């Protein structure tokens, strides 16, 4: 029996894996743990299926002269890639090579990937798919609190809350075991959900008089400004907290003064009375009013917008108005999505970061990390381009000519896929490391077959900032090796030392590199993790117990106060027009995880949700002559697709919802907008104008 964690989402449900007769296969059982309390969702129960899928990659592949991917050896694939890199860098410079990482990689792989880019390839062009995930929340929390840890408190703290406001988070489908932590708020009538759909989570508000605020897509910011307006105008704010613990309480009043509920109703479509009621329920649960505790939590629905950082900032400002951050049993947090969405953003995969969640532009950080890496700090690259900007530059005159992709399936998960496809095709060399022939791997020139969860040791960091051990239970098949072997193999061929294939050794180096940084892992050892110590970063030395709760004594800003950043509403970048009169909203399903590369290969999950579809309101469907199950065409400024309709009153009449887990002709990201948030560089996945017409199936 091997104790480990689910391979998928950031809840990182605890499991045990048990041997079965079939080679490479295991059986999974849930393990009691504070986040999942012995529960698993359908994805977790079926995760072992991915270990033995029929099209598992087991040998390196190289594209031959006929354009076919053919099997080869690791040595020959590594030699080929290293020779191409040398030639491209000689002709076009160091930045002609790019590296794209993923939020599902272990901490060790994420750390090694950032070091590989900066030290072995010496390129500034490295970023990762977390830019598409929670980067707006990271940007907002960094500027408000001086630090970004998704939940700055254990998830179990929600368990006694009187109210929880979920803004754009559908945890009943994305991480069902987490719903158990909402029970107290549900029982109190304090579950408040902002979502343009009646999602599974929004449906929970219908018991015990919770509140579903079914806002027009792209208007969460206006709605939250109005909630804060009500809190301030009705004398519900924690004025002592605002004076003592924030830098500019007056800014809250200034930025919300004009957002009275009747005005917000005109923008958001949420009745003014509902806004007032939600604000009062949330406030009543706040400690300042003797309540049981209140939380404001954001998810991708709030964050994946061109104003995502400001929307999260408004949520933080609401939490500050009520005196929640840093109070036991209350707070603001971001529900991180990807399995290592938290750790993946701490160890140097981001364009502007070094390990320890340090800025790559900070001279002291450059100097310290360069010393750990044994290189000259002046030789370390500076900030590179963010994910979408990096993709947009691929194959251009000044852009990268080659790219490594690890733990990411860009041809499903990136916005405006026609453009992504063009840019990837323009590369001289695309190298993809994956466990299955994903849509992106099938476009590559070289594919490395790499280990997955139950075949590897390492660490992951959950949505709470708790560091967890991932443990190998089975041998990897065929010639499968860790991503670490790609980094070490290429580095060696480039004449660069210091890349280990041993995850324990990489973690030891990561500890040293993170020491003194914001995400300080220096006191965490595998021995402590193996002894089941609950270690939430920062853990600055081995005698330190970890930091489950942040902000109790102040915020890690220059003045120790939370910063109130003024923000205001602005429309969706690609807003409605007579040609495109509805909003297209994308999201997630219970049965699938992210780009679906794994879950679409699990028969039970694929049978339950086999294909893409579009949810459309019955009134609109009738107007357009579209019946349930019949084809419709969606057309945006980026492209069009035909898919079956699901006619349901769960969506607003002005909204069409499409899940994004499907590839090829079923990929809704063909239609989504790649306009960026100016602060986080997050694309606007969550809202764009769409034309809907009846269609014939292709
Ligand atoms: Fe738990 Fe998430 Fe895995 Fe489901 S997908 S079992 S919620 S970790």
């Amino acid at each position: 029996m091997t104790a480990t964690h689910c391979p998928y989402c950031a809840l990182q449900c605890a499991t045990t894996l048990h041997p079965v007769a079939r080679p490479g296969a295991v059986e999974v059982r849930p393990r009691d743990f504070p986040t999942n309390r012995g529960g698993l969702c359908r994805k977790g129960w079926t995760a072992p299926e991915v270990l033995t899928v029929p099209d598992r990659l087991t040998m390196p592949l190289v594209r031959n002269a006929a354009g076919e991917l053919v099997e080869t050896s690791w040595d020959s694939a590594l030699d080929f890639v290293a020779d191409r890199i040398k030639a491209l860098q000689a002709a076009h410079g160091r930045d002609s090579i790019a590296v794209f990482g993923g939020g599902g990689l272990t901490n060790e792989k994420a750390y090694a990937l950032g070091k590989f880019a900066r030290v072995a390839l010496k390129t500034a062009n490295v970023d990762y798919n977390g830019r598409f995930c929670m980067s707006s929340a990271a940007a907002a929390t960094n500027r408000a609190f001086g630090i970004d840890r998704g939940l700055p408190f254990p998830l179990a703290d929600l368990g006694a809350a009187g109210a929880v406001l979920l803004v754009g988070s559908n945890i009943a489908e994305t991480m069902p075991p987490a719903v158990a932590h909402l029970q107290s708020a549900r029982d109190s009538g304090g579950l408040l959900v902002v979502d343009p759909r009646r999602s599974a989570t929004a449906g929970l508000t219908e018991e015990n008089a919770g509140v579903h605020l079914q806002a027009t897509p792209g208007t969460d910011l206006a709605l939250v400004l109005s909630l804060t307006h009500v809190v301030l105008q009705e004398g519900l704010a924690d004025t002592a907290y605002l004076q003592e613990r924030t830098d500019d309480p007056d800014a809250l009043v200034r930025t919300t003064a004009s957002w009275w509920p009747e005005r917000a109703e005109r923008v958001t479509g949420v009745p003014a009375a509902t806004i007032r009621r939600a604000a009062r329920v949330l406030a009543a649960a706040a400690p300042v009013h003797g309540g049981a505790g209140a939380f404001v939590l954001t998810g991708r629905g709030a964050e994946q917008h061109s104003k995502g950082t400001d929307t999260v900032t408004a949520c933080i400002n609401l939490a500050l108005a009520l005196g929640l951050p840093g109070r036991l049993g209350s707070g603001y947090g971001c529900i991180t999505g990807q399995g290592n969405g938290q750790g993946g953003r701490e160890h140097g995969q981001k364009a502007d970061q070094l390990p320890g969640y340090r800025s790559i532009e900070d001279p002291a950080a450059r100097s310290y990390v360069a010393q750990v890496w044994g290189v000259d700090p002046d030789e370390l690259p500076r900030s590179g381009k963010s994910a979408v900007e990096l993709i947009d530059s691929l194959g251009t005159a000044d852009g990268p000519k080659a790219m490594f992709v690890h733990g990411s399936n860009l041809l499903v998960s990136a916005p405006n896929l026609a453009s992504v496809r063009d840019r990837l095709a323009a590369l001289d060399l695309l190298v993809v490391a994956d466990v299955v022939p994903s849509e992106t791997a099938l476009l590559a020139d070289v594919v490395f077959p790499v280990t997955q969860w139950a075949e590897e040791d390492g660490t992951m960091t959950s949505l709470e900032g708790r560091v967890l051990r991932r443990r190998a239970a089975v041998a990897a098949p065929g010639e499968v090796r860790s991503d670490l072997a790609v980094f070490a193999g290429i580095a060696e061929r480039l004449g660069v030392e210091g890349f280990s294939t041993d995850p324990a050794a990489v973690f030891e180096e990561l500890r040293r590199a993170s020491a003194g940084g914001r995400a300080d892992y220096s006191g965490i050892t595998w021995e402590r993790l193996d002894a089941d110590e609950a270690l939430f970063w920062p853990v600055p030395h081995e005698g330190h117990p970890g930091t489950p709760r942040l902000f109790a004594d102040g915020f890690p800003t220059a003045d120790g106060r939370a910063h109130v950043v003024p923000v205001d509403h602005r429309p969706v970048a690609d807003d409605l027009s007579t040609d495109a009169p509805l909003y297209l909203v994308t999201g997630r399903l219970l049965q699938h995880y992210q780009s679906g590369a794994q879950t679409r290969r699990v028969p039970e999950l694929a049978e339950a949700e086999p294909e893409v579809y579009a949810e459309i309101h019955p009134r609109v469907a009738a107007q357009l002559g579209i019946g349930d199950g019949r084809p419709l065409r969606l057309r945006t400024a980026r492209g069009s697709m035909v898919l079956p309709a699901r006619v349901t009153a769960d969506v607003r009449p002005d909204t069409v919802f499409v899940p994004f887990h499907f590839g090829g002709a079923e990929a809704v990201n063909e239609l989504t907008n790649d306009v960026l948030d100016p602060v986080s560089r997050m694309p606007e996945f969550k809202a764009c104008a769409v034309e809907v017409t009846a269609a014939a199936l292709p």
Side-chain angles (χ1 to χ4, degrees):
M1 178 184 91
T2 305
T4 189
H5 294 265
C6 174
Y8 297 123
C9 83
L11 196 60
Q12 285 294 292
C13 294
T15 58
T16 52
L17 303 182
H18 303 260
V20 296
R22 214 152 42 99
V26 292
E27 183 183 283
V28 67
R29 290 180 204 149
R31 181 161 57 95
D32 197 29
F33 196 69
T35 53
N36 61 306
R37 295 181 174 172
L40 283 184
C41 80
R42 207 169 174 181
K43 295 186 285 286
W45 277 110
T46 56
E49 297 284 329
V50 186
L51 297 168
T52 55
V53 290
D55 61 348
R56 178 74 194 273
L57 293 170
T58 57
M59 290 288 291
L61 305 172
V62 175
R63 197 169 295 281
N64 65 14
E68 300 157 336
L69 283 169
V70 294
E71 293 185 353
T72 187
S73 68
W74 271 82
D75 275 339
S76 99
L78 289 167
D79 288 345
F80 173 77
V81 172
D83 288 346
R84 296 292 295 130
I85 290 169
K86 287 176 194 167
L88 288 168
Q89 289 193 317
H92 304 287
R94 295 171 170 182
D95 289 342
S96 61
I97 314 298
V99 182
F100 202 93
L105 300 175
T106 61
N107 289 321
E108 293 75 13
K109 291 180 180 180
Y111 168 81
L113 183 145
K115 179 182 172 185
F116 174 66
R118 273 71 177 241
V119 175
L121 301 174
K122 302 178 175 60
T123 178
N125 285 320
V126 53
D127 209 45
Y128 81 126
N129 67 15
R131 190 72 68 176
F132 303 154
C133 186
M134 36 32 70
S135 58
S136 294
T141 50
N142 273 321
R143 74 182 183 183
F145 301 141
I147 199 167
D148 158 40
R149 199 180 87 189
L151 298 184
F153 45 78
L155 183 68
D157 280 8
L158 264 63
V164 177
L165 172 65
L166 284 166
V167 186
S169 175
N170 182 15
I171 61 171
E173 291 207 64
T174 55
M175 46 180 70
V179 171
H181 299 280
L182 300 176
Q183 197 59 51
S184 171
R186 290 168 66 187
D187 291 345
S188 312
L191 181 61
L192 316 167
V193 178
V194 179
D195 199 311
R197 296 170 67 218
R198 182 191 171 278
S199 64
T201 310
L204 298 176
T205 64
E206 290 159 16
E207 314 156 9
N208 298 326
V211 184
H212 177 198
L213 302 114
Q214 196 167 7
T216 304
T219 66
D220 294 352
L221 175 48
L223 180 66
V224 177
L225 289 169
S226 191
L227 291 170
T228 311
H229 172 99
V230 174
V231 166
L232 294 168
Q233 291 300 311
E234 297 193 0
L236 301 173
D238 188 338
T239 51
Y241 177 101
L242 284 171
Q243 288 299 331
E244 290 165 17
R245 303 207 54 189
T246 71
D247 69 331
D248 190 1
D250 293 343
L252 271 182
V253 180
R254 287 197 307 276
T255 55
T256 60
S258 65
W259 283 101
W260 54 90
E262 286 74 16
R263 180 189 174 204
E265 177 178 339
R266 287 195 293 278
V267 173
T268 67
V270 178
T274 306
I275 296 172
R276 287 196 171 87
R277 186 170 144 232
R280 291 167 188 159
V281 169
L282 187 68
V288 68
H289 299 297
F295 290 89
V296 178
L297 304 175
T298 59
R300 306 301 83 74
E303 298 158 12
Q304 290 179 323
H305 288 275
S306 59
K307 55 179 176 293
T309 305
D310 286 353
T311 302
V312 175
T313 297
C315 293
I316 291 170
N317 288 347
L318 171 61
L320 291 172
L322 291 168
L324 308 182
R327 283 257 172 75
L328 184 63
S330 291
Y332 161 78
C334 153
I335 307 280
T336 296
Q338 292 192 78
N340 200 25
Q342 183 64 50
R345 68 207 205 221
E346 298 164 355
H347 306 301
Q349 285 191 97
K350 285 178 83 171
D352 54 355
Q353 270 186 10
L354 290 173
Y357 218 139
R358 293 176 167 97
S359 166
I360 200 166
E361 300 299 338
D362 174 4
R366 294 173 65 82
S367 186
Y368 177 75
V369 175
Q371 170 249 314
V372 174
W373 287 348
V375 299
D376 180 344
D378 294 334
E379 289 286 304
L380 281 181
R382 299 279 171 178
S383 289
K385 303 179 192 76
S386 71
V388 166
E389 292 156 305
L390 178 59
I391 293 167
D392 283 348
S393 73
L394 298 175
T396 60
D398 299 329
K401 306 295 185 286
M403 184 160 78
F404 289 79
V405 178
H406 290 257
S408 198
N409 187 9
L410 291 171
L411 276 178
V412 177
S413 61
N416 190 7
L417 286 177
S419 170
V420 176
R421 205 164 26 248
D422 285 351
R423 301 288 17 112
L424 291 178
L427 287 169
D428 289 350
L429 176 68
L430 175 61
V431 180
V432 174
D434 212 327
V435 300
V436 292
S438 68
E439 284 78 0
T440 310
L442 288 173
L443 201 70
D445 301 293
V446 179
V447 179
F448 288 107
V450 289
T451 49
Q452 54 177 316
W453 63 294
E455 300 159 353
E456 61 188 16
D457 280 298
T459 60
M460 304 281 279
T461 304
S462 76
L463 77 170
E464 313 171 297
R466 177 171 171 160
V467 183
L468 308 166
R469 274 281 275 119
R470 169 178 280 193
R471 296 182 180 89
V474 291
E479 288 298 311
V480 168
R481 299 181 189 174
S482 168
D483 300 72
L484 297 175
V486 179
F487 308 141
I490 298 293
E492 183 188 0
R493 284 161 176 78
L494 297 178
V496 180
E497 297 179 344
F499 286 84
S500 174
T501 57
D502 174 9
V506 175
F507 186 79
E508 286 302 306
E509 187 181 311
L510 179 163
R511 288 176 60 199
R512 280 189 286 124
S514 76
R518 283 181 284 180
D520 189 334
Y521 282 48
S522 57
I524 302 174
T525 64
W526 279 22
E527 290 73 26
R528 294 185 75 183
L529 295 173
D530 288 342
D532 277 342
E533 285 194 59
L535 296 175
F536 299 75
W537 66 258
V539 190
H541 57 82
E542 287 191 31
H544 192 281
T547 316
R549 296 176 186 85
L550 301 173
F551 316 145
D553 302 319
F555 297 93
T557 54
D559 59 5
R561 292 167 181 254
H563 292 180
V564 178
V565 180
V567 293
D568 203 2
H569 170 71
R570 52 188 187 273
V572 168
D574 177 10
D575 213 347
L576 305 189
S577 67
T578 48
D579 290 338
L582 301 180
Y583 286 108
L584 171 63
V585 172
T586 66
R588 290 156 173 79
L589 302 174
L590 172 65
Q591 288 80 2
H592 291 295
Y593 175 71
Q594 302 296 11
S595 80
Q598 296 127 304
T599 50
R600 281 185 275 127
R601 288 174 161 80
V602 175
E604 179 182 325
L605 301 176
E607 281 163 23
E609 287 291 2
E611 62 177 3
V612 72
Y613 58 84
E615 287 186 357
I616 185 167
H617 192 274
R619 193 168 77 225
V620 180
Q623 285 167 356
L624 297 173
I626 299 167
D628 191 37
R630 302 302 301 160
L632 57 74
R633 178 177 294 278
L634 301 179
R635 187 187 305 278
T636 72
R638 271 74 49 197
S640 77
M641 64 188 290
V642 173
L643 65 174
R646 276 196 196 171
V647 178
T648 170
D650 287 347
V651 288
R652 294 170 50 95
D654 60 4
T655 303
V656 177
F657 168 83
V658 181
F660 83 98
H661 308 290
F662 301 90
E666 296 190 309
V668 70
N669 277 325
E670 297 283 354
L671 312 185
T672 51
N673 195 355
D674 54 4
V675 64
L676 300 181
D677 179 297
V679 181
S680 66
R681 318 309 283 168
M682 165 76 84
E684 189 150 72
F685 287 104
K686 283 296 185 190
C688 66
V690 65
E691 177 195 40
V692 184
T693 51
L697 277 174

